[in-house]
Amino acid sequence: MARSDEAQWWFHAVYEAVQEIPPGSVTSYGHIALLLGRREQVGVCLKHLPSFSDDGEHFFHDQNVPWQRVINAKGMISPRGPGGASRQAAALRQEGVTVGTTALGEFTVDFSMFGWFPTRLPSEEDATTGADSE
């Protein structure tokens, strides 16, 4: 089913915001929504992030949107199907993020060490700075 123009805009806004999270950092789904000024389902957008394909069918995909850098507000990797949380933990570890494991086998990240919670997206800061210097 095709997305409405508004839904497509929202998915792209989420993907662009996630692209701004620096390597070795994580943020929450809710913080991405806050930065974008809407209380929409960021997790749904990331769940539907297409996989990379050589045909270039999708501008945004799992190789250019660092989906692994977004976790829940408790600092935990949300479970998503068989092996999904383990894959996300492995991707974060490759970036130097320390991923712990609870007694229940849930993966956690310490926001005080790896959290990224700016008040504005860096691209918005750049736009504001550029406008001020003209």
Side-chain angles (χ1 to χ4, degrees):
M1 183 167 116
R3 292 185 191 126
S4 69
D5 289 344
E6 183 179 1
Q8 190 69 13
W9 174 87
W10 176 246
F11 274 65
H12 286 190
V14 168
Y15 297 154
E16 288 173 353
V18 171
Q19 286 178 323
E20 297 193 46
I21 305 168
S25 299
V26 296
T27 197
S28 68
Y29 299 104
H31 194 72
I32 294 294
L34 177 71
L35 289 170
L36 294 174
R38 291 178 63 169
R39 297 195 50 84
E40 302 282 339
Q41 294 289 326
V42 171
V44 170
C45 296
L46 293 175
K47 176 182 178 182
H48 293 287
L49 179 66
S51 296
F52 173 78
S53 62
D54 289 329
D55 63 11
E57 180 182 353
H58 301 287
F59 181 78
F60 295 106
H61 50 76
D62 63 352
Q63 298 300 303
N64 69 5
V65 176
W67 56 271
Q68 71 275 10
R69 297 179 190 154
V70 185
I71 62 178
N72 74 27
K74 295 178 182 176
M76 298 173 65
I77 294 175
S78 299
R80 63 178 56 71
S86 295
R87 195 177 109 197
Q88 186 171 1
L92 287 170
R93 287 180 179 125
Q94 284 184 324
E95 293 186 6
V97 174
T98 301
V99 179
T101 307
T102 69
L104 297 174
E106 298 166 313
F107 296 106
T108 62
V109 176
D110 184 346
F111 279 138
S112 69
M113 291 182 63
F114 300 101
W116 182 79
F117 296 98
T119 56
R120 297 175 75 173
L121 287 166
S123 60
E124 291 175 349
E125 295 291 334
D126 293 344
T128 302
T129 304
D132 291 343
S133 64
E134 292 179 13

